[in-house]
Amino acid sequence: MPADELIRHGQHVMTVCNACRYCEQYCPVFPAMEQRLTFATADLTYLANLCHNCGECLYACQYAPPHEFGIDVPRTLAKIRARSYEDYGWPPFLAVAFRRHNLLTGTGLAAGLIALMFAATLVGNGGTLPRPAGDSDFYAVVPHDVMVVLFGGVFLFALTALWIGAVRFWRDLDMEGVATLARDFRALGRALRDALTLRHLHGSGADCTSAEETRTPWRRWFHHCTFYGFLSCFASTSVAAIYHTVFGWQAPYAYTSLPVLLGTAGGAGLLVGLAGLLMERRRRDPALGDPAQDGLDQSFIALLFLAALTGLLLLVLRERAVMSALLIVHLGVVLALFLTLPYGKFVHGIYRTAALVKYARESLRV
Amino acid sequence: MTHIIDAMPLVGDEQELYDVAVLGGGNAGLCAAPAAREAGASVVVLESAPRHYRGGNSRHTRNLRCMHAGPSQLLTESYAEDEFLSDLLRVTGNNTDEGLARLVIRGSAGCPEWMRRFGVRFQSSLRGTLHLDRTNAFFLGGGKALMNSYYAAAERLGIRVMYDTEVVGLDVLDGRFRGATALAGGRSLAIRAKAAVIAAGGFESNLDWLREVWGEAADNFIIRGTPYNTGTLLRLMLDAGAQSVGNERDCHAIAVDARAPKFDGGIVTRLDCVSLGIVVNKHGERFYDEGEDFWPKRYAIWGSLVARQPDQIAFSIVDAKTADKFMPSVFPPMAANSIRGLALLLNLLPDTLDATVAAFNAAVRPGRFDHAVLDDCRTDGLTPEKTHWAQRIDSPPFWGYPLRPGITFTYLGLKVDERAQVLMRGGEPARNIYAAGEVMAGNILRKGYIAGVGMTIGTVFGRLAGEEAARHASR
Ligand SMILES: Cc1cc2nc3c(=O)[nH]c(=O)nc-3n(C[C@H](O)[C@H](O)[C@H](O)COP(=O)(O)OP(=O)(O)OC[C@H]3O[C@@H](n4cnc5c(N)ncnc54)[C@H](O)[C@@H]3O)c2cc1C
Ligand code: SF4
Ligand code: SF4
């Protein structure tokens, strides 16, 4: 659907909802909508990112397709959400380039990077892969400095792109700006609590629905596994970096050390969570989502899954000969993951939290 | 007397004998079915609509009225039996069967708890658009969500539900139900059961029947709810000797936006700005006091007011001062910067509309506008006067909304006793035929209406009819 047609449909949907309001206690989208009489693109972007796609309002709607009003809130908001990922992505040319990116292009990018790194390693080592004997020395395969420059660079790039996207999103959404935000401690606290507990996946007292009257807690729990798994891996890497730079302790760390424990737990959380989320997606009524967005989501899920999988394998097999190859595969996947991070599913966490902050501010004001 | 429409050969595969056949799958039917099932009966539900449109008018509802002794999660304060009854007597002009009314009111106290057993969820009373939190319990997500819960419960309980299955014939002999004929996807089916619950609503969607009653004016009516309430079962039962209640001409109708779809436009087509401005007919003339009383108390008379105007059309006209004082409408207003310009958009004569507005503006007396009370803003010297909330219509842009009569439901129904049993014209109850919901609501409301009472009647009587039908079948 072209952008303006999508916005027009979004306006139609919200206008009908605003005259109806039957869904007002399912989630924050409806109370936020009720505070508006007209819906500009920025309003729709806000509402779309506030929606957690719990699904209830599709089945509750007496005007759902094939009714001539064609009210399909979850799908319409999903489409507008996907658009906002593209519209706020930075730099814009990459956001556009990645907009139709999918499982194939995501894994393809990873494969390309892996091939490149293999080639570079082969060239750098006179045509053979280095074989560190038994002492799991990653830096013998990819030198520490290369690792820092390459990954530090990509990481900084992703962080910058995410930050700029978030700031642009915030500016469009909230005219008062970030300046007064610090004073809104309560709003911030409430939004963070709601985001970290995924409150709106069970906000109306029951879990979100995957098909009419089928409500299960799985989507929420798998998401928790994924999110906290991701955080744990992130923490593991951070601790390792501190060990290395502050204390000068060299990797590999013992199986009982903090980075390894955090990494293992996080990796396991990611594997379980992501596999579960994929399964839940398959079980879900397709009418709830935007089919065009499936590729984007699958790519993110697949790359994150592969990163976790290869990371864990690396840990287990770090003293075996396959380690060098595995390390390169792992690093290639992680690179691809970070490069696509600012343009895919990952940003939903940032935009949704921003929308929750705005919602908390609005509702604490009234 | 036997009434079977037998144009098509009967198909043999539905010769199974059920204990209870529930005819109509709206709120009343889906209360009757689990009630009968839980009492041990085997149950089949025949529903005209396809699955997506199941649930009749009930899919458009939002609340039911409940008597209650004290505040709860769903309802504030208390609402006693006598207050409920006096509210009912007031709107019906005392024209009710007090015994049945009290039965419904007392039964309403237990409704929320009973409904929850089938997965129905309610809103909490803390927030709400309407100021009905004291008397009415709101369904979380509205009537369609309610019906989804009931249908899922029916499936869990092992109730057979047949969609796309319209009952077209009844086999009733001397007040005894023996079976029904239904059309399912072009095929004719015979369904046999030991008892039947009629829960098929009124005849509001039957355009021919409406025309019979209202003449050509009916062509301009909008049906707010389902297209499936054709009154077939009502007529079949009356033909089979059942006693009627209510007048064929009485219906609940409000003014809806003329751009609403013919059927199923539901709640969003209503217009809440009538009391804020003026309403003119197609000749550009006012015809009724727009500010007679608070809008929620008056909106139900505007359907018949508009129905009595030429071509059954009228136009609500407001100006910029009031733009944010009513619930937004689903259709955009026709907007113009002058009254003449607006007249052109609305297909009215600019001169007459201009004159009407000018005369109205000149007659407005000074006052303090307050939409929350019966304020002192009124006109002086007009016929008809506008007695409250009269403000000059002078701030562009001017907005116009076209209005048509929108029928909610019809009042004609089947007379029943306190066991939900249909009464035959001789006064004796039909042996095994029960009725619930809109099809018998006329026993309690022959005219007038208070919000939420339709669903209360359907829930209390649906449950009762289901239990009684199951008891009969087990005998
Ligand atoms: C827009 C709107 C909003 C409303 N809001 C409220 C509200 O908030 N609260 C309230 O109390 N009331 C409300 N009402 C009134 C309420 O809808 C009715 O009182 C109530 O739904 C009646 O329930 P029922 O089960 O008797 O009929 P319905 O729910 O209409 O069900 C009748 C069923 O019978 C089926 N049927 C009809 N003929 C046949 C046949 N021949 N064979 C098989 N099946 C057949 C139909 O398909 C339908 O599913 C509203 C009505 C409308 C139109
Ligand atoms: S989704 Fe449908 S039922 Fe819910 S508020 Fe919107 S129009 Fe009403
Ligand atoms: S899908 Fe759920 S979260 Fe999204 S708008 Fe509907 S009810 Fe709200």
Side-chain angles (χ1 to χ4, degrees), chain A residues 19-20 22 24-25 56 59 61 63 65 67-68 204 206 212, chain B residues 51-54 60-62 124 127 129 148 261 264-265 267:
Chain A
C20 168
Y22 281 14
E24 67 186 358
Q25 282 195 13
E56 293 289 355
Y59 305 113
C61 189
Y63 305 119
H67 189 284
E68 62 181 280
S204 63
E212 212 165 89
Chain B
R51 188 182 190 283
H52 182 82
Y53 285 111
R54 69 189 181 187
H60 284 288
T61 62
R62 66 159 43 169
S124 75
R127 310 190 305 225
T129 330
N148 288 344
D264 252 340
I267 191 83

PDB file of all heavy atoms in Angstrom, chain A residues 19-20 22 24-25 56 59 61 63 65 67-68 204 206 212, chain B residues 51-54 60-62 124 127 129 148 261 264-265 267:
ATOM      1  N   ALA A  19     -15.357   6.849  17.222  1.00  0.00           N
ATOM      2  CA  ALA A  19     -16.799   6.992  17.365  1.00  0.00           C
ATOM      3  C   ALA A  19     -17.395   5.786  18.093  1.00  0.00           C
ATOM      4  O   ALA A  19     -18.517   5.825  18.539  1.00  0.00           O
ATOM      5  CB  ALA A  19     -17.448   7.146  15.993  1.00  0.00           C
ATOM      6  N   CYS A  20     -16.631   4.727  18.217  1.00  0.00           N
ATOM      7  CA  CYS A  20     -17.124   3.472  18.799  1.00  0.00           C
ATOM      8  C   CYS A  20     -16.619   3.299  20.225  1.00  0.00           C
ATOM      9  O   CYS A  20     -17.386   3.238  21.165  1.00  0.00           O
ATOM     10  CB  CYS A  20     -16.669   2.315  17.913  1.00  0.00           C
ATOM     11  SG  CYS A  20     -16.869   0.687  18.631  1.00  0.00           S
ATOM     12  N   TYR A  22     -15.468   0.832  21.836  1.00  0.00           N
ATOM     13  CA  TYR A  22     -15.761  -0.393  22.570  1.00  0.00           C
ATOM     14  C   TYR A  22     -14.477  -1.027  23.115  1.00  0.00           C
ATOM     15  O   TYR A  22     -14.514  -1.765  24.089  1.00  0.00           O
ATOM     16  CB  TYR A  22     -16.461  -1.409  21.664  1.00  0.00           C
ATOM     17  CG  TYR A  22     -17.938  -1.159  21.456  1.00  0.00           C
ATOM     18  CD1 TYR A  22     -18.531   0.053  21.815  1.00  0.00           C
ATOM     19  CD2 TYR A  22     -18.756  -2.137  20.898  1.00  0.00           C
ATOM     20  CE1 TYR A  22     -19.881   0.277  21.608  1.00  0.00           C
ATOM     21  CE2 TYR A  22     -20.113  -1.925  20.697  1.00  0.00           C
ATOM     22  CZ  TYR A  22     -20.666  -0.711  21.047  1.00  0.00           C
ATOM     23  OH  TYR A  22     -22.004  -0.507  20.834  1.00  0.00           O
ATOM     24  N   GLU A  24     -11.924   0.334  24.475  1.00  0.00           N
ATOM     25  CA  GLU A  24     -11.080   1.276  25.209  1.00  0.00           C
ATOM     26  C   GLU A  24     -10.353   0.701  26.414  1.00  0.00           C
ATOM     27  O   GLU A  24      -9.407   1.314  26.896  1.00  0.00           O
ATOM     28  CB  GLU A  24     -11.863   2.527  25.603  1.00  0.00           C
ATOM     29  CG  GLU A  24     -12.954   2.301  26.617  1.00  0.00           C
ATOM     30  CD  GLU A  24     -13.779   3.581  26.848  1.00  0.00           C
ATOM     31  OE1 GLU A  24     -13.466   4.618  26.260  1.00  0.00           O
ATOM     32  OE2 GLU A  24     -14.741   3.498  27.620  1.00  0.00           O
ATOM     33  N   GLN A  25     -10.741  -0.472  26.881  1.00  0.00           N
ATOM     34  CA  GLN A  25      -9.986  -0.979  28.027  1.00  0.00           C
ATOM     35  C   GLN A  25      -9.040  -2.129  27.688  1.00  0.00           C
ATOM     36  O   GLN A  25      -8.524  -2.794  28.574  1.00  0.00           O
ATOM     37  CB  GLN A  25     -10.928  -1.357  29.171  1.00  0.00           C
ATOM     38  CG  GLN A  25     -11.401  -0.121  29.915  1.00  0.00           C
ATOM     39  CD  GLN A  25     -12.041  -0.423  31.248  1.00  0.00           C
ATOM     40  OE1 GLN A  25     -11.965  -1.515  31.796  1.00  0.00           O
ATOM     41  NE2 GLN A  25     -12.703   0.585  31.798  1.00  0.00           N
ATOM     42  N   GLU A  56      -6.517  -8.503  20.388  1.00  0.00           N
ATOM     43  CA  GLU A  56      -7.899  -8.506  20.881  1.00  0.00           C
ATOM     44  C   GLU A  56      -8.852  -7.685  20.015  1.00  0.00           C
ATOM     45  O   GLU A  56      -9.974  -8.098  19.744  1.00  0.00           O
ATOM     46  CB  GLU A  56      -7.952  -7.968  22.315  1.00  0.00           C
ATOM     47  CG  GLU A  56      -7.278  -8.863  23.342  1.00  0.00           C
ATOM     48  CD  GLU A  56      -8.056 -10.137  23.615  1.00  0.00           C
ATOM     49  OE1 GLU A  56      -9.162 -10.302  23.081  1.00  0.00           O
ATOM     50  OE2 GLU A  56      -7.540 -10.976  24.378  1.00  0.00           O
ATOM     51  N   TYR A  59     -10.664  -9.242  16.833  1.00  0.00           N
ATOM     52  CA  TYR A  59     -11.775 -10.180  17.030  1.00  0.00           C
ATOM     53  C   TYR A  59     -12.970  -9.519  17.687  1.00  0.00           C
ATOM     54  O   TYR A  59     -14.095  -9.959  17.541  1.00  0.00           O
ATOM     55  CB  TYR A  59     -11.302 -11.377  17.846  1.00  0.00           C
ATOM     56  CG  TYR A  59     -10.109 -12.027  17.198  1.00  0.00           C
ATOM     57  CD1 TYR A  59      -8.860 -12.001  17.790  1.00  0.00           C
ATOM     58  CD2 TYR A  59     -10.238 -12.611  15.946  1.00  0.00           C
ATOM     59  CE1 TYR A  59      -7.765 -12.559  17.178  1.00  0.00           C
ATOM     60  CE2 TYR A  59      -9.150 -13.167  15.310  1.00  0.00           C
ATOM     61  CZ  TYR A  59      -7.907 -13.143  15.929  1.00  0.00           C
ATOM     62  OH  TYR A  59      -6.827 -13.689  15.298  1.00  0.00           O
ATOM     63  N   CYS A  61     -14.022  -6.653  16.968  1.00  0.00           N
ATOM     64  CA  CYS A  61     -14.569  -5.587  16.130  1.00  0.00           C
ATOM     65  C   CYS A  61     -15.734  -6.052  15.278  1.00  0.00           C
ATOM     66  O   CYS A  61     -15.591  -6.924  14.427  1.00  0.00           O
ATOM     67  CB  CYS A  61     -13.511  -4.973  15.241  1.00  0.00           C
ATOM     68  SG  CYS A  61     -14.164  -3.501  14.431  1.00  0.00           S
ATOM     69  N   TYR A  63     -16.845  -4.394  13.031  1.00  0.00           N
ATOM     70  CA  TYR A  63     -16.627  -3.817  11.703  1.00  0.00           C
ATOM     71  C   TYR A  63     -15.414  -4.424  10.996  1.00  0.00           C
ATOM     72  O   TYR A  63     -14.919  -3.873  10.010  1.00  0.00           O
ATOM     73  CB  TYR A  63     -16.417  -2.301  11.815  1.00  0.00           C
ATOM     74  CG  TYR A  63     -17.543  -1.595  12.526  1.00  0.00           C
ATOM     75  CD1 TYR A  63     -17.317  -0.890  13.712  1.00  0.00           C
ATOM     76  CD2 TYR A  63     -18.836  -1.645  12.027  1.00  0.00           C
ATOM     77  CE1 TYR A  63     -18.356  -0.250  14.368  1.00  0.00           C
ATOM     78  CE2 TYR A  63     -19.877  -1.016  12.674  1.00  0.00           C
ATOM     79  CZ  TYR A  63     -19.625  -0.316  13.850  1.00  0.00           C
ATOM     80  OH  TYR A  63     -20.656   0.318  14.490  1.00  0.00           O
ATOM     81  N   PRO A  65     -13.105  -6.674   8.590  1.00  0.00           N
ATOM     82  CA  PRO A  65     -13.387  -7.168   7.244  1.00  0.00           C
ATOM     83  C   PRO A  65     -14.036  -8.557   7.340  1.00  0.00           C
ATOM     84  O   PRO A  65     -13.669  -9.292   8.243  1.00  0.00           O
ATOM     85  CB  PRO A  65     -12.006  -7.265   6.590  1.00  0.00           C
ATOM     86  CG  PRO A  65     -11.059  -6.556   7.497  1.00  0.00           C
ATOM     87  CD  PRO A  65     -11.703  -6.421   8.823  1.00  0.00           C
ATOM     88  N   HIS A  67     -16.694  -6.656   6.688  1.00  0.00           N
ATOM     89  CA  HIS A  67     -17.615  -5.519   6.838  1.00  0.00           C
ATOM     90  C   HIS A  67     -17.093  -4.361   5.993  1.00  0.00           C
ATOM     91  O   HIS A  67     -15.885  -4.175   5.873  1.00  0.00           O
ATOM     92  CB  HIS A  67     -17.695  -5.108   8.311  1.00  0.00           C
ATOM     93  CG  HIS A  67     -18.780  -4.099   8.583  1.00  0.00           C
ATOM     94  ND1 HIS A  67     -18.645  -2.770   8.247  1.00  0.00           N
ATOM     95  CD2 HIS A  67     -20.008  -4.223   9.148  1.00  0.00           C
ATOM     96  CE1 HIS A  67     -19.747  -2.127   8.601  1.00  0.00           C
ATOM     97  NE2 HIS A  67     -20.590  -2.986   9.148  1.00  0.00           N
ATOM     98  N   GLU A  68     -18.009  -3.584   5.428  1.00  0.00           N
ATOM     99  CA  GLU A  68     -17.555  -2.544   4.494  1.00  0.00           C
ATOM    100  C   GLU A  68     -16.681  -1.492   5.162  1.00  0.00           C
ATOM    101  O   GLU A  68     -15.901  -0.819   4.484  1.00  0.00           O
ATOM    102  CB  GLU A  68     -18.750  -1.891   3.785  1.00  0.00           C
ATOM    103  CG  GLU A  68     -19.720  -1.174   4.696  1.00  0.00           C
ATOM    104  CD  GLU A  68     -20.881  -0.573   3.909  1.00  0.00           C
ATOM    105  OE1 GLU A  68     -20.720   0.510   3.315  1.00  0.00           O
ATOM    106  OE2 GLU A  68     -21.947  -1.209   3.890  1.00  0.00           O
ATOM    107  N   SER A 204      -5.153  -6.358  29.823  1.00  0.00           N
ATOM    108  CA  SER A 204      -6.570  -6.370  30.168  1.00  0.00           C
ATOM    109  C   SER A 204      -6.882  -7.523  31.100  1.00  0.00           C
ATOM    110  O   SER A 204      -8.024  -7.891  31.287  1.00  0.00           O
ATOM    111  CB  SER A 204      -7.417  -6.462  28.901  1.00  0.00           C
ATOM    112  OG  SER A 204      -7.165  -7.679  28.238  1.00  0.00           O
ATOM    113  N   ALA A 206      -5.973 -10.684  30.817  1.00  0.00           N
ATOM    114  CA  ALA A 206      -5.699 -11.992  30.223  1.00  0.00           C
ATOM    115  C   ALA A 206      -4.540 -11.835  29.250  1.00  0.00           C
ATOM    116  O   ALA A 206      -4.153 -10.725  28.906  1.00  0.00           O
ATOM    117  CB  ALA A 206      -6.929 -12.506  29.494  1.00  0.00           C
ATOM    118  N   GLU A 212      -8.618 -15.434  17.902  1.00  0.00           N
ATOM    119  CA  GLU A 212      -9.908 -15.285  18.568  1.00  0.00           C
ATOM    120  C   GLU A 212      -9.828 -15.565  20.058  1.00  0.00           C
ATOM    121  O   GLU A 212      -9.262 -14.779  20.808  1.00  0.00           O
ATOM    122  CB  GLU A 212     -10.956 -16.154  17.889  1.00  0.00           C
ATOM    123  CG  GLU A 212     -12.335 -15.523  17.960  1.00  0.00           C
ATOM    124  CD  GLU A 212     -13.304 -16.165  17.001  1.00  0.00           C
ATOM    125  OE1 GLU A 212     -13.965 -17.140  17.379  1.00  0.00           O
ATOM    126  OE2 GLU A 212     -13.388 -15.677  15.864  1.00  0.00           O
TER     127      GLU A 212
ATOM    128  N   ARG B  51     -20.465 -17.593  10.040  1.00  0.00           N
ATOM    129  CA  ARG B  51     -19.733 -17.472  11.291  1.00  0.00           C
ATOM    130  C   ARG B  51     -19.294 -16.040  11.575  1.00  0.00           C
ATOM    131  O   ARG B  51     -19.419 -15.541  12.689  1.00  0.00           O
ATOM    132  CB  ARG B  51     -18.501 -18.394  11.247  1.00  0.00           C
ATOM    133  CG  ARG B  51     -17.787 -18.495  12.569  1.00  0.00           C
ATOM    134  CD  ARG B  51     -16.560 -19.390  12.426  1.00  0.00           C
ATOM    135  NE  ARG B  51     -15.976 -19.693  13.714  1.00  0.00           N
ATOM    136  CZ  ARG B  51     -15.229 -18.840  14.406  1.00  0.00           C
ATOM    137  NH1 ARG B  51     -15.015 -17.633  13.951  1.00  0.00           N
ATOM    138  NH2 ARG B  51     -14.723 -19.203  15.567  1.00  0.00           N
ATOM    139  N   HIS B  52     -18.771 -15.370  10.551  1.00  0.00           N
ATOM    140  CA  HIS B  52     -18.227 -14.033  10.793  1.00  0.00           C
ATOM    141  C   HIS B  52     -19.272 -13.062  11.323  1.00  0.00           C
ATOM    142  O   HIS B  52     -18.974 -12.177  12.112  1.00  0.00           O
ATOM    143  CB  HIS B  52     -17.607 -13.475   9.518  1.00  0.00           C
ATOM    144  CG  HIS B  52     -16.993 -12.120   9.721  1.00  0.00           C
ATOM    145  ND1 HIS B  52     -15.739 -11.956  10.256  1.00  0.00           N
ATOM    146  CD2 HIS B  52     -17.501 -10.868   9.540  1.00  0.00           C
ATOM    147  CE1 HIS B  52     -15.483 -10.657  10.360  1.00  0.00           C
ATOM    148  NE2 HIS B  52     -16.528  -9.982   9.930  1.00  0.00           N
ATOM    149  N   TYR B  53     -20.502 -13.205  10.854  1.00  0.00           N
ATOM    150  CA  TYR B  53     -21.554 -12.262  11.249  1.00  0.00           C
ATOM    151  C   TYR B  53     -22.497 -12.837  12.296  1.00  0.00           C
ATOM    152  O   TYR B  53     -23.584 -12.329  12.520  1.00  0.00           O
ATOM    153  CB  TYR B  53     -22.340 -11.803  10.020  1.00  0.00           C
ATOM    154  CG  TYR B  53     -21.574 -10.818   9.167  1.00  0.00           C
ATOM    155  CD1 TYR B  53     -21.102 -11.162   7.907  1.00  0.00           C
ATOM    156  CD2 TYR B  53     -21.304  -9.539   9.646  1.00  0.00           C
ATOM    157  CE1 TYR B  53     -20.388 -10.251   7.137  1.00  0.00           C
ATOM    158  CE2 TYR B  53     -20.592  -8.624   8.885  1.00  0.00           C
ATOM    159  CZ  TYR B  53     -20.146  -8.984   7.634  1.00  0.00           C
ATOM    160  OH  TYR B  53     -19.446  -8.076   6.883  1.00  0.00           O
ATOM    161  N   ARG B  54     -22.069 -13.909  12.941  1.00  0.00           N
ATOM    162  CA  ARG B  54     -22.909 -14.521  13.971  1.00  0.00           C
ATOM    163  C   ARG B  54     -23.171 -13.504  15.088  1.00  0.00           C
ATOM    164  O   ARG B  54     -22.393 -12.577  15.290  1.00  0.00           O
ATOM    165  CB  ARG B  54     -22.195 -15.753  14.543  1.00  0.00           C
ATOM    166  CG  ARG B  54     -20.965 -15.374  15.371  1.00  0.00           C
ATOM    167  CD  ARG B  54     -20.130 -16.574  15.749  1.00  0.00           C
ATOM    168  NE  ARG B  54     -18.988 -16.175  16.564  1.00  0.00           N
ATOM    169  CZ  ARG B  54     -18.018 -16.985  16.935  1.00  0.00           C
ATOM    170  NH1 ARG B  54     -18.037 -18.251  16.557  1.00  0.00           N
ATOM    171  NH2 ARG B  54     -17.029 -16.550  17.677  1.00  0.00           N
ATOM    172  N   HIS B  60     -23.481  -5.895  18.298  1.00  0.00           N
ATOM    173  CA  HIS B  60     -23.307  -4.434  18.273  1.00  0.00           C
ATOM    174  C   HIS B  60     -23.435  -3.790  19.653  1.00  0.00           C
ATOM    175  O   HIS B  60     -23.318  -2.583  19.779  1.00  0.00           O
ATOM    176  CB  HIS B  60     -24.347  -3.808  17.347  1.00  0.00           C
ATOM    177  CG  HIS B  60     -24.032  -3.996  15.895  1.00  0.00           C
ATOM    178  ND1 HIS B  60     -23.010  -3.320  15.279  1.00  0.00           N
ATOM    179  CD2 HIS B  60     -24.589  -4.806  14.960  1.00  0.00           C
ATOM    180  CE1 HIS B  60     -22.959  -3.690  14.002  1.00  0.00           C
ATOM    181  NE2 HIS B  60     -23.889  -4.595  13.794  1.00  0.00           N
ATOM    182  N   THR B  61     -23.717  -4.579  20.671  1.00  0.00           N
ATOM    183  CA  THR B  61     -24.042  -3.990  21.970  1.00  0.00           C
ATOM    184  C   THR B  61     -22.778  -3.670  22.761  1.00  0.00           C
ATOM    185  O   THR B  61     -21.668  -4.046  22.373  1.00  0.00           O
ATOM    186  CB  THR B  61     -24.892  -4.956  22.798  1.00  0.00           C
ATOM    187  OG1 THR B  61     -24.127  -6.129  23.039  1.00  0.00           O
ATOM    188  CG2 THR B  61     -26.167  -5.331  22.065  1.00  0.00           C
ATOM    189  N   ARG B  62     -22.984  -3.003  23.894  1.00  0.00           N
ATOM    190  CA  ARG B  62     -21.822  -2.752  24.742  1.00  0.00           C
ATOM    191  C   ARG B  62     -22.050  -3.024  26.226  1.00  0.00           C
ATOM    192  O   ARG B  62     -21.107  -3.107  26.991  1.00  0.00           O
ATOM    193  CB  ARG B  62     -21.317  -1.333  24.555  1.00  0.00           C
ATOM    194  CG  ARG B  62     -22.276  -0.254  25.016  1.00  0.00           C
ATOM    195  CD  ARG B  62     -21.563   1.050  25.294  1.00  0.00           C
ATOM    196  NE  ARG B  62     -20.587   1.342  24.265  1.00  0.00           N
ATOM    197  CZ  ARG B  62     -19.960   2.500  24.129  1.00  0.00           C
ATOM    198  NH1 ARG B  62     -20.229   3.480  24.961  1.00  0.00           N
ATOM    199  NH2 ARG B  62     -19.073   2.688  23.195  1.00  0.00           N
ATOM    200  N   SER B 124     -13.624  -2.546  33.767  1.00  0.00           N
ATOM    201  CA  SER B 124     -13.729  -2.099  35.145  1.00  0.00           C
ATOM    202  C   SER B 124     -14.427  -0.748  35.116  1.00  0.00           C
ATOM    203  O   SER B 124     -14.392  -0.033  34.126  1.00  0.00           O
ATOM    204  CB  SER B 124     -12.347  -1.999  35.779  1.00  0.00           C
ATOM    205  OG  SER B 124     -11.707  -0.854  35.293  1.00  0.00           O
ATOM    206  N   ARG B 127     -13.009   3.649  34.435  1.00  0.00           N
ATOM    207  CA  ARG B 127     -13.046   4.564  33.316  1.00  0.00           C
ATOM    208  C   ARG B 127     -14.239   4.195  32.467  1.00  0.00           C
ATOM    209  O   ARG B 127     -14.682   3.092  32.452  1.00  0.00           O
ATOM    210  CB  ARG B 127     -11.800   4.385  32.426  1.00  0.00           C
ATOM    211  CG  ARG B 127     -10.506   4.389  33.144  1.00  0.00           C
ATOM    212  CD  ARG B 127      -9.369   4.461  32.143  1.00  0.00           C
ATOM    213  NE  ARG B 127      -9.444   3.387  31.154  1.00  0.00           N
ATOM    214  CZ  ARG B 127      -8.380   2.670  30.792  1.00  0.00           C
ATOM    215  NH1 ARG B 127      -7.224   2.893  31.335  1.00  0.00           N
ATOM    216  NH2 ARG B 127      -8.493   1.738  29.865  1.00  0.00           N
ATOM    217  N   THR B 129     -16.678   5.890  28.890  1.00  0.00           N
ATOM    218  CA  THR B 129     -17.081   7.056  28.129  1.00  0.00           C
ATOM    219  C   THR B 129     -18.434   7.556  28.594  1.00  0.00           C
ATOM    220  O   THR B 129     -18.690   8.729  28.661  1.00  0.00           O
ATOM    221  CB  THR B 129     -17.213   6.687  26.638  1.00  0.00           C
ATOM    222  OG1 THR B 129     -16.296   5.639  26.365  1.00  0.00           O
ATOM    223  CG2 THR B 129     -16.942   7.866  25.783  1.00  0.00           C
ATOM    224  N   ASN B 148     -18.106 -13.885  21.003  1.00  0.00           N
ATOM    225  CA  ASN B 148     -16.973 -14.801  20.801  1.00  0.00           C
ATOM    226  C   ASN B 148     -16.782 -15.685  22.027  1.00  0.00           C
ATOM    227  O   ASN B 148     -16.524 -16.885  21.908  1.00  0.00           O
ATOM    228  CB  ASN B 148     -15.683 -14.022  20.548  1.00  0.00           C
ATOM    229  CG  ASN B 148     -15.654 -13.369  19.176  1.00  0.00           C
ATOM    230  OD1 ASN B 148     -16.443 -13.721  18.304  1.00  0.00           O
ATOM    231  ND2 ASN B 148     -14.765 -12.414  18.996  1.00  0.00           N
ATOM    232  N   PRO B 261     -24.292   2.696   6.230  1.00  0.00           N
ATOM    233  CA  PRO B 261     -24.706   1.569   5.382  1.00  0.00           C
ATOM    234  C   PRO B 261     -26.133   1.142   5.728  1.00  0.00           C
ATOM    235  O   PRO B 261     -26.613   1.383   6.831  1.00  0.00           O
ATOM    236  CB  PRO B 261     -23.703   0.463   5.738  1.00  0.00           C
ATOM    237  CG  PRO B 261     -22.971   0.912   6.953  1.00  0.00           C
ATOM    238  CD  PRO B 261     -23.151   2.385   7.082  1.00  0.00           C
ATOM    239  N   ASP B 264     -26.161  -2.978   9.579  1.00  0.00           N
ATOM    240  CA  ASP B 264     -24.938  -3.282  10.337  1.00  0.00           C
ATOM    241  C   ASP B 264     -23.994  -2.103  10.581  1.00  0.00           C
ATOM    242  O   ASP B 264     -22.834  -2.306  10.898  1.00  0.00           O
ATOM    243  CB  ASP B 264     -24.144  -4.394   9.605  1.00  0.00           C
ATOM    244  CG  ASP B 264     -24.228  -5.718  10.363  1.00  0.00           C
ATOM    245  OD1 ASP B 264     -24.531  -5.689  11.568  1.00  0.00           O
ATOM    246  OD2 ASP B 264     -23.988  -6.766   9.743  1.00  0.00           O
ATOM    247  N   GLY B 265     -24.508  -0.881  10.452  1.00  0.00           N
ATOM    248  CA  GLY B 265     -23.657   0.285  10.738  1.00  0.00           C
ATOM    249  C   GLY B 265     -23.393   0.432  12.231  1.00  0.00           C
ATOM    250  O   GLY B 265     -22.427   1.071  12.642  1.00  0.00           O
ATOM    251  N   ILE B 267     -23.146   1.185  16.192  1.00  0.00           N
ATOM    252  CA  ILE B 267     -23.107   2.325  17.097  1.00  0.00           C
ATOM    253  C   ILE B 267     -22.498   3.577  16.460  1.00  0.00           C
ATOM    254  O   ILE B 267     -22.861   4.694  16.798  1.00  0.00           O
ATOM    255  CB  ILE B 267     -22.327   1.916  18.371  1.00  0.00           C
ATOM    256  CG1 ILE B 267     -22.479   2.964  19.488  1.00  0.00           C
ATOM    257  CG2 ILE B 267     -20.859   1.721  18.088  1.00  0.00           C
ATOM    258  CD1 ILE B 267     -23.736   2.792  20.256  1.00  0.00           C
TER     259      ILE B 267
END
